[in-house]
Amino acid sequence: MGDTESAVRITTADMLALNAIGDAIFAEWFPNYRPGDPVPAMPPLHIMHEARELALRHRTVATRRRGQRDA
């Protein structure tokens, strides 16, 4: 696959930290979720809207930077 010496190694501590971050995000998005409830397939609408706005801003800035670089 590639040079194993330069490969990034993910430790158990890394996995635990990532799981904790994921759990915190889930708890923020779905504060009323209880174990045993069906897991929602989509984030809440306000999160989807925020993500859409962020993507639009990102594309706008990237386009502006490309224009400045080409000028």
Side-chain angles (χ1 to χ4, degrees):
M1 178 133 203
D3 183 12
T4 56
E5 292 298 318
S6 64
V8 175
R9 300 201 192 284
I10 298 177
T11 65
T12 302
D14 294 332
M15 290 303 298
L16 291 173
L18 289 171
N19 283 339
I21 291 168
D23 290 346
I25 291 170
F26 189 87
E28 182 180 329
W29 285 4
F30 303 104
N32 298 325
Y33 179 81
R34 294 176 310 221
D37 289 348
V39 176
M42 299 282 291
L45 190 56
H46 72 279
I47 299 292
M48 297 292 287
H49 182 68
E50 186 177 328
R52 218 173 302 127
E53 287 180 354
L54 184 61
L56 178 61
R57 280 194 305 246
H58 176 74
R59 283 193 300 270
T60 303
V61 169
T63 301
R64 189 178 310 133
R65 286 182 180 162
R66 272 195 304 273
Q68 290 173 349
R69 190 175 55 223
D70 294 340

